[in-house]
Amino acid sequence: MKSNDTNRWRTIDIVVASVIAVAFGVIFWAWNLVWSATDAAFAFFPPAQTLIYGVWLVPAVLGGLVIRKPGAALYCETVAAILSALLGSQWASITIVQGVMQGIGAELAFAAFRYRSFRLPAAVLAGALTGVSAAVFDFVYWNTETDLASYRLPYALLTVVSSTIVAGVGGWALTRALANTGALDRFPAGRERAAI
């Protein structure tokens, strides 16, 4: 098989990526409510709320790990963000721009591995870079009026920590769990489950 053929999306790739994205779009809608409900719990140090941020970044990493084709991370994160906005995100349509930025972060990580390694280090890097892209977006869009040292820098750092653990390690663990059920047998992630 030519290398160009391995990067082509099959119908099943599109369907599964869409299922991941739609499932997480609904999860995003619920997580938006969790985020708002936890404001008071983090009043002691508001940037700490970003420790739960990583959930919003899981589809970028999961999509990349499952589909393993250029554009999968970007597609899953963007479609999930679109659905979240359509379901009534309190942040409205700007969440779509955020989704694109976050998807690009994970996509860069998989590209750095030339779409050839999908093991834990690739997942961790994808989680970290999607967190960096989220933190940069928030830094220049949402948090411009806040103090640099006491809010913006800790917010950015904790966003990256959350995304590395929740989206990176969590996305890798979720891929393994799905592979062990046989649900991913039509994908390389499912066929190599014994080797992971």
Side-chain angles (χ1 to χ4, degrees):
M1 185 181 283
K2 295 179 184 177
S3 63
N4 288 346
D5 291 340
T6 60
N7 288 335
R8 292 179 96 162
W9 284 52
R10 306 169 297 165
T11 302
I12 194 166
D13 296 330
I14 296 166
V15 170
V16 171
S18 297
V19 168
I20 291 168
V22 168
F24 273 93
V26 174
I27 290 168
F28 285 2
W29 173 81
W31 205 247
N32 296 344
L33 300 175
V34 170
W35 182 270
S36 294
T38 60
D39 279 343
F42 293 101
F44 69 97
F45 185 58
Q49 190 173 22
T50 62
L51 290 171
I52 66 172
Y53 199 118
V55 171
W56 283 312
L57 308 173
V58 171
V61 178
L62 181 63
L65 292 173
V66 170
I67 306 302
R68 299 184 176 190
K69 302 214 172 148
L74 178 60
Y75 177 85
C76 288
E77 190 71 28
T78 302
V79 172
I82 290 168
L83 184 59
S84 175
L86 290 173
L87 289 173
S89 166
Q90 62 264 47
W91 299 289
S93 62
I94 195 64
T95 58
I96 298 168
V97 177
Q98 255 180 306
V100 170
M101 294 296 298
Q102 294 160 356
I104 288 171
E107 203 67 51
L108 288 172
F110 294 118
F113 282 94
R114 300 178 64 198
Y115 298 96
R116 292 184 181 164
S117 177
F118 297 92
R119 297 195 182 282
L120 184 58
V124 167
L125 182 61
L129 290 183
T130 194
V132 167
S133 65
V136 167
F137 181 89
D138 292 357
F139 199 89
V140 300
Y141 188 83
W142 297 113
N143 300 332
T144 57
E145 302 297 319
T146 58
D147 183 68
L148 181 66
S150 68
Y151 190 89
R152 290 196 292 173
L153 290 177
Y155 180 103
L157 177 65
L158 294 173
T159 298
V160 174
V161 168
S162 175
S163 65
T164 300
I165 295 168
V166 177
V169 175
W172 177 78
L174 184 54
T175 302
R176 287 186 57 172
L178 288 169
N180 286 335
T181 68
L184 302 179
D185 283 351
R186 304 257 335 250
F187 296 89
R191 291 190 293 271
E192 69 184 28
R193 68 177 172 252
I196 295 179

